[in-house]
Every structure is written in structure tokens, then in C-alpha cells.
Amino acid sequence: MTKPAAISIKGLSKSFGATRVLEDINLDIAEGERVVVIGPSGTGKSTLLRCLNYLDHPDSGTIRIGDLSVDADKASRADILALRRKTSFVFQNYALFANKTARENITQALITVKGQPKADAIARADATLRETGLADKADAYPAALSGGQQQRVGIGRAMALDADLMLFDEPTSALDPEWVGEVLDLMRQVAEKRQTMLIVTHEIQFAREIADRIIFMDGGKIVEQGPPKQLLEAPQDPRTKAFLRRVS
């Protein structure tokens, strides 16, 4: 008997005004699977992630994570909050609170999203900062951190939530080149724990290393998907072939 997918997305669509950004996305993700999404800019990759925790409200479709199913046509505020508790999000621009320390940026999420007591949240934040190599930066504010350190705090915040699904929206795109490696190394550490991950990235070599499956999107649709070796070395669709020629 086939094990049901940990995450199941059915018929997900989204428009901004007259522009259709996502068109009938259907995707299943297994528990512990690392799925990487690649494709041209402006093709709906980030919107897909944002719809999965209702930062953007999808026009139609259902999202199931574990035993929770949310239908866009009748999603209540309680449904959306429950869905957000099952996901954690790593933003391309870090999205840290400028007036909070590294420790406080992590504890804030644990208190507001998970409802943890402050003392427990602080203990978890400190453990996460040690894990991300930032124990000595616990009391530092974002302005005193490099871009790579800020993004590691952002990833640490997502890690601390122990979510069913971690969403990474181009986590290295805002970084100077010298900071990219440290962020990718931390993501590899997360991946080694078999954390379920959906990652949008332009880092093709990283995708080859970390992904169990790569999805190529174009025009708001999933065009092609498969194991890294198959998709990157023997793509079937002309659009995938053209994209990979441009980025290789």
C-alpha cells in the first residue's frame, strides 16, 4: 500500500489582477523529501510558496499538510493559522525585526506561532543559535550582522518552529557572493535531518546536491519534474532544455 503524501496540493491557482501567476498546480511531497523548484524569474515559483502558507491567498485549490486540509474557497482564519503552524518560511530578504536581537527574532516566532512560554522559547532559541554557529551573536541586532549571518538567523527561526514543511524562497538571492556558501552549508545541515523542504533557488549545483526531486516551472505551471540527474542532464521538455542552457 502506497504511503500517503505528507503534503498534497491540488488545483492551486492564483492571479494578480488580470495576470494568471499560478495555473492548476498539483504536487505531492513525501515526508522528509527535499524538493527544489527552478525556472525563469516571474514564473510563479515564489508565489507558489507564499500561497502554501497563505501569505498570498490562492484563488482556488486545496492544501493538505498531515491531517489538516485547507480549501481556498472556504478557508477560515482558524484554518489559515493552523496551516501556518505547520509551515515555516525562509525569506529572500531575511525578514528579521530590526529592533530585536538574533535571540529575540527566534523567540518571537516561538511565542506568537507556537504559544511557547518565554523561558522555553529562549532556551530553544539559544540551542538553535548554537546549531547555526551564531551563539556569540545572540544579543546582536540585524544591523550588526552580515547578510549571511542574518539569513542564518532567518533559517534558525524556521528550524526552531519544528514545522512539517520548511519553505525557502530564494534564500541566497539577496546575498553577496562571499556569504552564499555559509547559508547553503546550513541548508545542507537541515536537509541531512530529513526535514521536509520545498526550496526555490537559482543555485543549480546546490539543487543537484540537495534535492530528491527537482521541479521546473514556467508560465505558472509545473512543466517537468524528476530526480536531479534525470531533469538536469536529460530534460524532456524544450522549455526545460532552453532554461538549463541559459543557466549552465
Side-chain angles (χ1 to χ4, degrees):
M1 183 176 177
T2 304
K3 185 179 178 181
I7 293 98
S8 186
I9 302 155
K10 303 294 183 190
L12 198 69
S13 296
K14 174 66 179 176
S15 296
F16 292 105
T19 303
R20 194 72 151 172
V21 181
L22 294 178
E23 182 70 50
D24 194 30
I25 298 292
N26 295 285
L27 176 63
D28 288 339
I29 303 173
E31 184 177 352
E33 187 176 15
R34 290 86 55 101
V35 179
V36 172
V37 185
I38 62 172
S41 297
T43 199
K45 304 184 302 296
S46 293
T47 301
L48 170 61
L49 265 59
R50 292 177 64 85
C51 282
L52 292 185
N53 74 345
Y54 275 67
L55 288 172
D56 289 333
H57 196 303
D59 299 328
S60 59
T62 59
I63 300 165
R64 181 182 61 76
I65 301 180
D67 57 1
L68 174 69
S69 184
V70 180
D71 187 329
D73 291 332
K74 50 189 177 186
S76 67
R77 178 169 174 78
D79 290 334
I80 293 169
L81 289 174
L83 185 69
R84 287 177 177 165
R85 290 190 185 102
K86 287 183 173 289
T87 63
S88 58
F89 206 106
V90 177
F91 298 86
Q92 53 185 295
N93 63 348
Y94 327 137
L96 301 180
F97 293 104
N99 64 338
K100 294 185 183 297
T101 65
R103 179 189 288 116
E104 289 168 342
N105 266 280
I106 297 174
T107 57
Q108 178 75 21
L110 291 168
I111 293 167
T112 58
V113 177
K114 289 287 191 179
Q116 288 191 3
K118 185 175 181 180
D120 292 349
I122 289 172
R124 180 71 175 106
D126 285 344
T128 302
L129 288 167
R130 288 193 296 273
E131 195 173 351
T132 58
L134 293 170
D136 61 332
K137 302 295 184 182
D139 296 317
Y141 290 91
L145 300 174
S146 71
Q149 289 169 335
Q150 288 185 62
Q151 189 60 293
R152 281 155 62 197
V153 174
I155 294 172
R157 176 178 56 191
M159 291 165 57
L161 291 170
D162 290 324
D164 292 32
L165 174 64
M166 283 183 73
L167 302 165
F168 294 80
D169 185 15
E170 300 192 24
T172 61
S173 66
L175 296 175
D176 289 339
E178 66 265 31
W179 296 329
V180 170
E182 66 186 72
V183 170
L184 295 181
D185 285 344
L186 179 55
M187 290 176 66
R188 290 184 185 96
Q189 289 179 39
V190 176
E192 285 170 3
K193 299 178 180 179
R194 299 311 303 185
Q195 164 72 50
T196 310
M197 304 165 76
L198 184 60
I199 304 165
V200 170
T201 186
H202 290 294
E203 302 281 348
I204 300 299
Q205 183 55 41
F206 175 70
R208 183 192 296 272
E209 294 171 16
I210 202 171
D212 297 304
R213 177 169 36 133
I214 297 179
I215 291 171
F216 173 72
M217 283 184 66
D218 193 21
K221 298 180 180 180
I222 294 176
V223 173
E224 186 173 355
Q225 58 184 301
K229 185 175 178 64
Q230 178 264 305
L231 187 130
L232 296 177
E233 297 179 12
Q236 301 302 302
D237 192 279
R239 288 169 289 181
T240 316
K241 294 176 182 178
F243 172 78
L244 291 172
R245 278 197 300 270
R246 290 197 300 273
V247 299
S248 61

